[in-house]
Amino acid sequence: MAVNPMKKKKNRPNYFRKQEERLGPYFLSKKTPVDIQRDAMMVFRDIARGNIDYNKDLVYFTNAQFLQNINKVAQDEYTTSYINQAATASYLGNFSHILDSAAKTNVEAVHNQNTIKANMFSILSVGLSNISNLASMGLDENTPYIKEAVQSLVNQMYPFRYNI
């Protein structure tokens, strides 16, 4: 049976739906900070791919513990990527004259990957901090500011949807 190429592919269930199915609607109360940090990449992937339901998921973006822990992962990943980017740039600057073509190409590829990751995690960290600041002002998921901040982050992360 042939597959219709015009048929729109359905998004997979996002992180929040999977956790609600597995642990119930109050799943965040059952998660430790380490659990949230371990799951952060799945949340980042959903953000980058636009797999966020603005009618159901905004409540999680007003949870201080959730935001703090996924932002910690974004900041840690940014730091690691930035250090790796700086190290490979220094290596290329100091030793490119003695590297053969293949080795230089490999180091440049690692440098470029870390540059992309540093940019991506910087955007995530700033966006999550903005959302956290709005939530700390007492704004809830029903205010347009939280929705706009999450939509803005999704739009900024879209170019990185295949890098995360």
Side-chain angles (χ1 to χ4, degrees):
M1 177 193 244
V3 176
N4 181 355
M6 300 302 288
K7 186 175 182 181
K8 186 176 178 181
K9 187 173 137 183
K10 290 178 79 175
N11 281 343
R12 66 174 178 76
N14 69 14
Y15 168 78
F16 303 112
R17 293 297 82 66
K18 287 180 182 178
Q19 296 304 311
E20 286 173 352
E21 288 172 10
R22 206 173 119 236
L23 299 171
Y26 303 104
F27 72 89
L28 279 181
S29 64
K30 299 173 185 172
K31 295 256 185 193
T32 66
V34 173
D35 292 333
I36 294 169
Q37 291 172 17
R38 191 176 326 116
D39 294 348
M41 287 300 198
M42 289 183 276
V43 176
F44 298 158
R45 192 173 300 117
D46 284 337
I47 290 170
R49 293 180 180 166
N51 197 9
I52 301 294
D53 184 336
Y54 297 109
N55 295 319
K56 297 177 184 175
D57 299 340
L58 294 181
V59 66
Y60 301 112
F61 288 98
T62 59
N63 183 296
Q65 178 188 6
F66 175 74
L67 284 171
Q68 179 182 15
N69 283 292
I70 64 171
N71 198 12
K72 180 185 182 330
V73 173
Q75 290 171 351
D76 291 349
E77 290 290 332
Y78 166 75
T79 301
T80 301
S81 299
Y82 182 78
I83 289 169
N84 289 337
Q85 173 205 12
T88 53
S90 175
Y91 187 82
L92 284 168
N94 293 321
F95 301 107
S96 66
H97 61 284
I98 60 172
L99 294 173
D100 65 22
S101 177
K104 185 176 179 182
T105 300
N106 288 339
V107 174
E108 287 171 343
V110 170
H111 174 75
N112 292 338
Q113 289 171 343
N114 281 291
T115 300
I116 290 168
K117 284 180 69 175
N119 290 336
M120 176 178 65
F121 286 112
S122 174
I123 290 168
L124 265 170
S125 182
V126 170
L128 292 169
S129 293
N130 290 341
I131 295 166
S132 182
N133 289 339
L134 290 170
S136 70
M137 292 176 9
L139 300 177
D140 66 11
E141 69 275 7
N142 297 317
T143 60
Y145 301 110
I146 298 289
K147 182 177 182 179
E148 289 170 8
V150 173
Q151 284 176 327
S152 175
L153 181 57
V154 167
N155 292 337
Q156 291 176 62
M157 287 300 297
Y158 186 74
F160 300 103
R161 65 194 175 280
Y162 301 119
N163 300 99
I164 197 158

